[in-house]
Amino acid sequence: MLLNLLLLVVGFVLLVKGADFFVEGSAAVARTFRVPSIIIGLTIVAMGTSAPELAVSVTAGLAGKNEIAISNVIGSNVFNLLVVVGACAAILPMNVDRKILKKEFPFVLIIQAVLLFFCANSFMGKIFGNVNGQNVLSRLEGIILVILFLAFMINMVLETLKSRKETAAEEEEEKKLGILISIVYIVGGAAAIVYGGDLVVDSASFIAETFGFSQTFIGLTVVAIGTSLPELVTSLTAIHKGENDLALGNVLGSNLFNILFVLALSTTLTPIKVLGNNIIDLIFLVVVSGLVYVFCLGKQKVSRMEGVTMVGIYIFYTVYLLMR
């Protein structure tokens, strides 16, 4: 047990530091090509900070522990919205770009609704005895999500090209990593993420079985929080530097990446079993996403009180998970 607890901590450290190096290297490359911060947040930083979820979910899927894969994604998205955004707003009221409210945030809500539909359809299919109605997310549904991810990325690339034509990119005063160092950071960070993900899945599964906790509970709490630490650290740092677009863009981009690539890739590799509790957790995710969107719409910012409220909701949600 002690060894597995140690391996869990080591795994999380590798995930967080690996993601840190991956983000720094990737962002340095992006800045070299003068990509706007909002798009860096929605793509490069989001993918980098979601790399731990990708490593954990794919590893869990290949190991046949898919309950961790799906619950990790749902739990991470809930944590990102309620704790990452909430904590940032509680420290400093978070201004929200009108463009995010009109485009990216609604797209996140739609994608989450699509995932809920896929999961509910798979789960209900078994009840109604459909021919192919097994309670799993199928490879076809995974491929559909990957296609949506590619469409999103293509749109981001087009927006990047458009923004570079319309406005001259500002030269950054901060130090820039060289291309070679950036590549070393990216490769080294990715390696740490993959190995760390393997350690987290194996040790978390052992601990769950030892204490009688379900794989779903561990995925929604311990693993989800651990793999979401890069989002939390990155967004808090961005808020401290006044980069609100990067902070919220990181969260929304990470949540999209978690569903459209992390979960989609895991499902494409190995169909993921859908449990009744997964449906409940997804409904909760959709509801709190709508709540955060309403907060953002109010005065185009999330206030301190709203941030504290969001963190409080997450605490109650965790208590509910412990009791069910």
Side-chain angles (χ1 to χ4, degrees), residues 159-200:
E159 286 205 10
T160 300
L161 295 175
K162 181 180 178 181
S163 66
R164 291 181 68 186
K165 288 180 180 179
E166 290 180 347
T167 59
E170 298 179 358
E171 290 295 327
E172 308 229 2
E173 297 295 332
E174 61 186 87
K175 287 184 178 180
K176 293 183 179 180
L177 295 175
I179 292 295
L180 183 59
I181 296 298
S182 298
I183 293 174
V184 171
Y185 273 35
I186 292 171
V187 174
I193 287 167
V194 171
Y195 185 64
D198 192 33
L199 287 178
V200 168

mmCIF file of all heavy atoms in Angstrom, residues 159-200:
data_model
loop_
_atom_site.group_PDB
_atom_site.id
_atom_site.type_symbol
_atom_site.label_atom_id
_atom_site.label_comp_id
_atom_site.label_asym_id
_atom_site.label_seq_id
_atom_site.Cartn_x
_atom_site.Cartn_y
_atom_site.Cartn_z
ATOM 1 N N GLU A 159 -8.910 30.768 -37.832
ATOM 2 C CA GLU A 159 -9.004 31.989 -37.030
ATOM 3 C C GLU A 159 -7.622 32.580 -36.771
ATOM 4 O O GLU A 159 -7.450 33.799 -36.735
ATOM 5 C CB GLU A 159 -9.710 31.704 -35.696
ATOM 6 C CG GLU A 159 -11.206 31.502 -35.837
ATOM 7 C CD GLU A 159 -11.944 31.834 -34.550
ATOM 8 O OE1 GLU A 159 -11.319 32.390 -33.622
ATOM 9 O OE2 GLU A 159 -13.132 31.554 -34.486
ATOM 10 N N THR A 160 -6.647 31.701 -36.581
ATOM 11 C CA THR A 160 -5.277 32.166 -36.366
ATOM 12 C C THR A 160 -4.765 32.916 -37.589
ATOM 13 O O THR A 160 -4.198 34.008 -37.483
ATOM 14 C CB THR A 160 -4.344 30.977 -36.071
ATOM 15 O OG1 THR A 160 -4.802 30.299 -34.902
ATOM 16 C CG2 THR A 160 -2.915 31.447 -35.841
ATOM 17 N N LEU A 161 -4.970 32.321 -38.761
ATOM 18 C CA LEU A 161 -4.527 32.954 -40.006
ATOM 19 C C LEU A 161 -5.235 34.284 -40.219
ATOM 20 O O LEU A 161 -4.621 35.268 -40.640
ATOM 21 C CB LEU A 161 -4.812 32.010 -41.191
ATOM 22 C CG LEU A 161 -4.021 30.699 -41.199
ATOM 23 C CD1 LEU A 161 -4.479 29.806 -42.346
ATOM 24 C CD2 LEU A 161 -2.515 30.973 -41.288
ATOM 25 N N LYS A 162 -6.533 34.318 -39.873
ATOM 26 C CA LYS A 162 -7.312 35.539 -40.037
ATOM 27 C C LYS A 162 -6.808 36.644 -39.115
ATOM 28 O O LYS A 162 -6.650 37.793 -39.527
ATOM 29 C CB LYS A 162 -8.791 35.254 -39.749
ATOM 30 C CG LYS A 162 -9.691 36.473 -39.919
ATOM 31 C CD LYS A 162 -11.138 36.102 -39.609
ATOM 32 C CE LYS A 162 -12.032 37.338 -39.721
ATOM 33 N NZ LYS A 162 -13.445 37.010 -39.391
ATOM 34 N N SER A 163 -6.547 36.290 -37.864
ATOM 35 C CA SER A 163 -6.097 37.285 -36.891
ATOM 36 C C SER A 163 -4.727 37.829 -37.251
ATOM 37 O O SER A 163 -4.424 38.998 -37.025
ATOM 38 C CB SER A 163 -6.074 36.689 -35.480
ATOM 39 O OG SER A 163 -5.099 35.676 -35.379
ATOM 40 N N ARG A 164 -3.890 36.980 -37.844
ATOM 41 C CA ARG A 164 -2.543 37.435 -38.227
ATOM 42 C C ARG A 164 -2.602 38.382 -39.411
ATOM 43 O O ARG A 164 -1.744 39.228 -39.598
ATOM 44 C CB ARG A 164 -1.651 36.243 -38.551
ATOM 45 C CG ARG A 164 -1.307 35.404 -37.322
ATOM 46 C CD ARG A 164 -0.405 34.247 -37.680
ATOM 47 N NE ARG A 164 0.917 34.714 -38.079
ATOM 48 C CZ ARG A 164 1.863 33.918 -38.545
ATOM 49 N NH1 ARG A 164 1.624 32.622 -38.673
ATOM 50 N NH2 ARG A 164 3.033 34.398 -38.881
ATOM 51 N N LYS A 165 -3.634 38.249 -40.238
ATOM 52 C CA LYS A 165 -3.786 39.140 -41.388
ATOM 53 C C LYS A 165 -4.379 40.481 -40.964
ATOM 54 O O LYS A 165 -4.029 41.522 -41.496
ATOM 55 C CB LYS A 165 -4.700 38.495 -42.438
ATOM 56 C CG LYS A 165 -4.053 37.334 -43.182
ATOM 57 C CD LYS A 165 -5.022 36.754 -44.204
ATOM 58 C CE LYS A 165 -4.390 35.589 -44.959
ATOM 59 N NZ LYS A 165 -5.325 34.991 -45.946
ATOM 60 N N GLU A 166 -5.298 40.431 -39.983
ATOM 61 C CA GLU A 166 -6.015 41.643 -39.589
ATOM 62 C C GLU A 166 -5.181 42.550 -38.692
ATOM 63 O O GLU A 166 -5.273 43.766 -38.763
ATOM 64 C CB GLU A 166 -7.314 41.278 -38.861
ATOM 65 C CG GLU A 166 -8.357 40.667 -39.793
ATOM 66 C CD GLU A 166 -9.631 40.309 -39.052
ATOM 67 O OE1 GLU A 166 -9.598 40.312 -37.796
ATOM 68 O OE2 GLU A 166 -10.643 40.051 -39.704
ATOM 69 N N THR A 167 -4.403 41.958 -37.796
ATOM 70 C CA THR A 167 -3.605 42.771 -36.870
ATOM 71 C C THR A 167 -2.167 42.279 -36.826
ATOM 72 O O THR A 167 -1.908 41.088 -36.920
ATOM 73 C CB THR A 167 -4.190 42.703 -35.438
ATOM 74 O OG1 THR A 167 -4.203 41.341 -35.011
ATOM 75 C CG2 THR A 167 -5.597 43.265 -35.413
ATOM 76 N N ALA A 168 -1.267 43.194 -36.666
ATOM 77 C CA ALA A 168 0.150 42.831 -36.550
ATOM 78 C C ALA A 168 0.392 42.303 -35.147
ATOM 79 O O ALA A 168 0.031 42.941 -34.157
ATOM 80 C CB ALA A 168 1.023 44.049 -36.819
ATOM 81 N N ALA A 169 0.986 41.175 -35.070
ATOM 82 C CA ALA A 169 1.236 40.562 -33.760
ATOM 83 C C ALA A 169 2.262 41.382 -33.000
ATOM 84 O O ALA A 169 3.233 41.881 -33.560
ATOM 85 C CB ALA A 169 1.730 39.135 -33.948
ATOM 86 N N GLU A 170 2.006 41.528 -31.682
ATOM 87 C CA GLU A 170 2.920 42.301 -30.858
ATOM 88 C C GLU A 170 4.161 41.462 -30.540
ATOM 89 O O GLU A 170 4.063 40.284 -30.270
ATOM 90 C CB GLU A 170 2.239 42.711 -29.549
ATOM 91 C CG GLU A 170 1.034 43.602 -29.774
ATOM 92 C CD GLU A 170 0.380 43.969 -28.454
ATOM 93 O OE1 GLU A 170 0.865 43.478 -27.411
ATOM 94 O OE2 GLU A 170 -0.576 44.740 -28.478
ATOM 95 N N GLU A 171 5.279 42.136 -30.536
ATOM 96 C CA GLU A 171 6.522 41.440 -30.188
ATOM 97 C C GLU A 171 6.560 41.253 -28.677
ATOM 98 O O GLU A 171 6.254 42.172 -27.910
ATOM 99 C CB GLU A 171 7.737 42.271 -30.628
ATOM 100 C CG GLU A 171 7.913 42.335 -32.127
ATOM 101 C CD GLU A 171 8.214 40.973 -32.716
ATOM 102 O OE1 GLU A 171 8.874 40.165 -32.039
ATOM 103 O OE2 GLU A 171 7.782 40.730 -33.836
ATOM 104 N N GLU A 172 6.927 40.096 -28.232
ATOM 105 C CA GLU A 172 6.957 39.786 -26.811
ATOM 106 C C GLU A 172 8.297 40.185 -26.219
ATOM 107 O O GLU A 172 9.359 39.964 -26.793
ATOM 108 C CB GLU A 172 6.710 38.293 -26.612
ATOM 109 C CG GLU A 172 5.468 37.825 -27.318
ATOM 110 C CD GLU A 172 4.598 37.008 -26.396
ATOM 111 O OE1 GLU A 172 4.967 36.851 -25.228
ATOM 112 O OE2 GLU A 172 3.565 36.539 -26.863
ATOM 113 N N GLU A 173 8.226 40.830 -25.024
ATOM 114 C CA GLU A 173 9.436 41.274 -24.358
ATOM 115 C C GLU A 173 10.115 40.138 -23.601
ATOM 116 O O GLU A 173 11.297 40.183 -23.306
ATOM 117 C CB GLU A 173 9.100 42.406 -23.375
ATOM 118 C CG GLU A 173 8.537 43.655 -24.043
ATOM 119 C CD GLU A 173 9.552 44.312 -24.954
ATOM 120 O OE1 GLU A 173 10.762 44.163 -24.673
ATOM 121 O OE2 GLU A 173 9.147 44.953 -25.930
ATOM 122 N N GLU A 174 9.316 39.114 -23.232
ATOM 123 C CA GLU A 174 9.854 38.038 -22.409
ATOM 124 C C GLU A 174 10.848 37.178 -23.183
ATOM 125 O O GLU A 174 10.890 37.174 -24.412
ATOM 126 C CB GLU A 174 8.709 37.151 -21.905
ATOM 127 C CG GLU A 174 7.938 36.500 -23.024
ATOM 128 C CD GLU A 174 6.725 35.753 -22.514
ATOM 129 O OE1 GLU A 174 5.667 36.358 -22.361
ATOM 130 O OE2 GLU A 174 6.870 34.534 -22.298
ATOM 131 N N LYS A 175 11.647 36.461 -22.439
ATOM 132 C CA LYS A 175 12.619 35.584 -23.065
ATOM 133 C C LYS A 175 11.926 34.482 -23.841
ATOM 134 O O LYS A 175 10.915 33.950 -23.411
ATOM 135 C CB LYS A 175 13.519 34.960 -21.996
ATOM 136 C CG LYS A 175 14.517 35.921 -21.381
ATOM 137 C CD LYS A 175 15.422 35.177 -20.416
ATOM 138 C CE LYS A 175 16.459 36.133 -19.832
ATOM 139 N NZ LYS A 175 17.357 35.423 -18.885
ATOM 140 N N LYS A 176 12.500 34.140 -24.983
ATOM 141 C CA LYS A 176 11.933 33.068 -25.791
ATOM 142 C C LYS A 176 12.885 31.880 -25.796
ATOM 143 O O LYS A 176 14.094 32.044 -25.907
ATOM 144 C CB LYS A 176 11.703 33.550 -27.233
ATOM 145 C CG LYS A 176 10.628 34.618 -27.354
ATOM 146 C CD LYS A 176 10.412 34.984 -28.814
ATOM 147 C CE LYS A 176 9.331 36.038 -28.960
ATOM 148 N NZ LYS A 176 9.107 36.419 -30.368
ATOM 149 N N LEU A 177 12.319 30.711 -25.675
ATOM 150 C CA LEU A 177 13.142 29.506 -25.767
ATOM 151 C C LEU A 177 13.547 29.305 -27.214
ATOM 152 O O LEU A 177 12.798 29.621 -28.136
ATOM 153 C CB LEU A 177 12.344 28.284 -25.295
ATOM 154 C CG LEU A 177 11.928 28.238 -23.828
ATOM 155 C CD1 LEU A 177 11.042 27.024 -23.595
ATOM 156 C CD2 LEU A 177 13.147 28.172 -22.926
ATOM 157 N N GLY A 178 14.731 28.769 -27.425
ATOM 158 C CA GLY A 178 15.128 28.440 -28.779
ATOM 159 C C GLY A 178 14.321 27.257 -29.276
ATOM 160 O O GLY A 178 13.749 26.507 -28.478
ATOM 161 N N ILE A 179 14.259 27.073 -30.586
ATOM 162 C CA ILE A 179 13.477 25.985 -31.168
ATOM 163 C C ILE A 179 13.969 24.628 -30.670
ATOM 164 O O ILE A 179 13.177 23.759 -30.306
ATOM 165 C CB ILE A 179 13.549 26.020 -32.712
ATOM 166 C CG1 ILE A 179 12.813 27.253 -33.231
ATOM 167 C CG2 ILE A 179 12.927 24.760 -33.299
ATOM 168 C CD1 ILE A 179 11.316 27.233 -32.943
ATOM 169 N N LEU A 180 15.287 24.447 -30.610
ATOM 170 C CA LEU A 180 15.843 23.164 -30.179
ATOM 171 C C LEU A 180 15.460 22.861 -28.727
ATOM 172 O O LEU A 180 15.015 21.749 -28.403
ATOM 173 C CB LEU A 180 17.375 23.169 -30.324
ATOM 174 C CG LEU A 180 18.076 21.857 -29.963
ATOM 175 C CD1 LEU A 180 17.554 20.721 -30.846
ATOM 176 C CD2 LEU A 180 19.589 21.986 -30.108
ATOM 177 N N ILE A 181 15.596 23.871 -27.841
ATOM 178 C CA ILE A 181 15.231 23.690 -26.431
ATOM 179 C C ILE A 181 13.733 23.420 -26.315
ATOM 180 O O ILE A 181 13.292 22.587 -25.509
ATOM 181 C CB ILE A 181 15.613 24.932 -25.601
ATOM 182 C CG1 ILE A 181 17.134 25.136 -25.599
ATOM 183 C CG2 ILE A 181 15.104 24.792 -24.168
ATOM 184 C CD1 ILE A 181 17.893 23.989 -24.964
ATOM 185 N N SER A 182 12.949 24.110 -27.123
ATOM 186 C CA SER A 182 11.496 23.916 -27.100
ATOM 187 C C SER A 182 11.133 22.478 -27.452
ATOM 188 O O SER A 182 10.265 21.868 -26.823
ATOM 189 C CB SER A 182 10.814 24.872 -28.089
ATOM 190 O OG SER A 182 11.046 26.214 -27.727
ATOM 191 N N ILE A 183 11.803 21.925 -28.458
ATOM 192 C CA ILE A 183 11.541 20.548 -28.871
ATOM 193 C C ILE A 183 11.919 19.570 -27.755
ATOM 194 O O ILE A 183 11.207 18.604 -27.482
ATOM 195 C CB ILE A 183 12.316 20.214 -30.169
ATOM 196 C CG1 ILE A 183 11.746 21.037 -31.334
ATOM 197 C CG2 ILE A 183 12.236 18.715 -30.480
ATOM 198 C CD1 ILE A 183 12.516 20.889 -32.630
ATOM 199 N N VAL A 184 13.058 19.852 -27.082
ATOM 200 C CA VAL A 184 13.477 19.006 -25.952
ATOM 201 C C VAL A 184 12.419 19.044 -24.855
ATOM 202 O O VAL A 184 12.060 18.013 -24.276
ATOM 203 C CB VAL A 184 14.836 19.470 -25.392
ATOM 204 C CG1 VAL A 184 15.161 18.730 -24.093
ATOM 205 C CG2 VAL A 184 15.946 19.232 -26.418
ATOM 206 N N TYR A 185 11.892 20.235 -24.558
ATOM 207 C CA TYR A 185 10.844 20.390 -23.549
ATOM 208 C C TYR A 185 9.599 19.592 -23.933
ATOM 209 O O TYR A 185 8.992 18.918 -23.099
ATOM 210 C CB TYR A 185 10.464 21.867 -23.394
ATOM 211 C CG TYR A 185 11.322 22.633 -22.409
ATOM 212 C CD1 TYR A 185 12.677 22.348 -22.257
ATOM 213 C CD2 TYR A 185 10.784 23.655 -21.640
ATOM 214 C CE1 TYR A 185 13.469 23.055 -21.366
ATOM 215 C CE2 TYR A 185 11.562 24.364 -20.732
ATOM 216 C CZ TYR A 185 12.901 24.066 -20.611
ATOM 217 O OH TYR A 185 13.676 24.763 -19.722
ATOM 218 N N ILE A 186 9.216 19.678 -25.209
ATOM 219 C CA ILE A 186 8.007 19.001 -25.679
ATOM 220 C C ILE A 186 8.157 17.487 -25.588
ATOM 221 O O ILE A 186 7.290 16.789 -25.056
ATOM 222 C CB ILE A 186 7.683 19.425 -27.133
ATOM 223 C CG1 ILE A 186 7.264 20.897 -27.172
ATOM 224 C CG2 ILE A 186 6.573 18.545 -27.713
ATOM 225 C CD1 ILE A 186 7.134 21.464 -28.568
ATOM 226 N N VAL A 187 9.278 16.973 -26.105
ATOM 227 C CA VAL A 187 9.518 15.524 -26.106
ATOM 228 C C VAL A 187 9.686 15.000 -24.674
ATOM 229 O O VAL A 187 9.078 13.994 -24.287
ATOM 230 C CB VAL A 187 10.758 15.172 -26.949
ATOM 231 C CG1 VAL A 187 11.074 13.685 -26.822
ATOM 232 C CG2 VAL A 187 10.530 15.540 -28.413
ATOM 233 N N GLY A 188 10.491 15.691 -23.875
ATOM 234 C CA GLY A 188 10.704 15.271 -22.491
ATOM 235 C C GLY A 188 9.426 15.341 -21.675
ATOM 236 O O GLY A 188 9.126 14.441 -20.879
ATOM 237 N N GLY A 189 8.660 16.412 -21.870
ATOM 238 C CA GLY A 189 7.393 16.559 -21.162
ATOM 239 C C GLY A 189 6.420 15.463 -21.527
ATOM 240 O O GLY A 189 5.735 14.894 -20.667
ATOM 241 N N ALA A 190 6.348 15.146 -22.823
ATOM 242 C CA ALA A 190 5.438 14.096 -23.285
ATOM 243 C C ALA A 190 5.817 12.741 -22.689
ATOM 244 O O ALA A 190 4.953 11.961 -22.273
ATOM 245 C CB ALA A 190 5.457 14.026 -24.813
ATOM 246 N N ALA A 191 7.122 12.461 -22.622
ATOM 247 C CA ALA A 191 7.581 11.187 -22.049
ATOM 248 C C ALA A 191 7.210 11.081 -20.574
ATOM 249 O O ALA A 191 6.741 10.040 -20.103
ATOM 250 C CB ALA A 191 9.093 11.066 -22.220
ATOM 251 N N ALA A 192 7.396 12.175 -19.832
ATOM 252 C CA ALA A 192 7.045 12.189 -18.408
ATOM 253 C C ALA A 192 5.552 12.003 -18.218
ATOM 254 O O ALA A 192 5.098 11.311 -17.300
ATOM 255 C CB ALA A 192 7.495 13.504 -17.773
ATOM 256 N N ILE A 193 4.759 12.602 -19.096
ATOM 257 C CA ILE A 193 3.298 12.499 -19.021
ATOM 258 C C ILE A 193 2.841 11.057 -19.233
ATOM 259 O O ILE A 193 2.006 10.523 -18.499
ATOM 260 C CB ILE A 193 2.644 13.434 -20.058
ATOM 261 C CG1 ILE A 193 2.774 14.887 -19.598
ATOM 262 C CG2 ILE A 193 1.171 13.083 -20.265
ATOM 263 C CD1 ILE A 193 2.443 15.901 -20.669
ATOM 264 N N VAL A 194 3.396 10.421 -20.257
ATOM 265 C CA VAL A 194 3.005 9.046 -20.565
ATOM 266 C C VAL A 194 3.368 8.100 -19.420
ATOM 267 O O VAL A 194 2.550 7.292 -18.970
ATOM 268 C CB VAL A 194 3.685 8.570 -21.872
ATOM 269 C CG1 VAL A 194 3.451 7.077 -22.075
ATOM 270 C CG2 VAL A 194 3.125 9.344 -23.065
ATOM 271 N N TYR A 195 4.597 8.202 -18.921
ATOM 272 C CA TYR A 195 5.035 7.319 -17.832
ATOM 273 C C TYR A 195 4.273 7.619 -16.548
ATOM 274 O O TYR A 195 3.870 6.716 -15.812
ATOM 275 C CB TYR A 195 6.540 7.481 -17.606
ATOM 276 C CG TYR A 195 7.098 6.513 -16.589
ATOM 277 C CD1 TYR A 195 7.069 5.132 -16.825
ATOM 278 C CD2 TYR A 195 7.647 6.969 -15.393
ATOM 279 C CE1 TYR A 195 7.574 4.239 -15.886
ATOM 280 C CE2 TYR A 195 8.156 6.079 -14.460
ATOM 281 C CZ TYR A 195 8.112 4.717 -14.713
ATOM 282 O OH TYR A 195 8.604 3.837 -13.792
ATOM 283 N N GLY A 196 4.046 8.912 -16.286
ATOM 284 C CA GLY A 196 3.290 9.302 -15.107
ATOM 285 C C GLY A 196 1.868 8.793 -15.154
ATOM 286 O O GLY A 196 1.309 8.350 -14.146
ATOM 287 N N GLY A 197 1.247 8.841 -16.343
ATOM 288 C CA GLY A 197 -0.115 8.333 -16.506
ATOM 289 C C GLY A 197 -0.205 6.853 -16.204
ATOM 290 O O GLY A 197 -1.172 6.387 -15.575
ATOM 291 N N ASP A 198 0.804 6.107 -16.628
ATOM 292 C CA ASP A 198 0.844 4.665 -16.364
ATOM 293 C C ASP A 198 0.916 4.392 -14.861
ATOM 294 O O ASP A 198 0.209 3.543 -14.325
ATOM 295 C CB ASP A 198 2.069 4.058 -17.067
ATOM 296 C CG ASP A 198 2.010 2.533 -17.093
ATOM 297 O OD1 ASP A 198 0.904 1.987 -17.182
ATOM 298 O OD2 ASP A 198 3.075 1.897 -17.001
ATOM 299 N N LEU A 199 1.757 5.138 -14.153
ATOM 300 C CA LEU A 199 1.897 4.975 -12.705
ATOM 301 C C LEU A 199 0.600 5.318 -11.978
ATOM 302 O O LEU A 199 0.187 4.619 -11.048
ATOM 303 C CB LEU A 199 3.028 5.869 -12.172
ATOM 304 C CG LEU A 199 4.465 5.447 -12.483
ATOM 305 C CD1 LEU A 199 5.448 6.470 -11.918
ATOM 306 C CD2 LEU A 199 4.764 4.060 -11.905
ATOM 307 N N VAL A 200 -0.049 6.400 -12.402
ATOM 308 C CA VAL A 200 -1.283 6.850 -11.745
ATOM 309 C C VAL A 200 -2.398 5.817 -11.883
ATOM 310 O O VAL A 200 -3.089 5.480 -10.915
ATOM 311 C CB VAL A 200 -1.751 8.211 -12.312
ATOM 312 C CG1 VAL A 200 -3.179 8.526 -11.855
ATOM 313 C CG2 VAL A 200 -0.812 9.319 -11.858
#
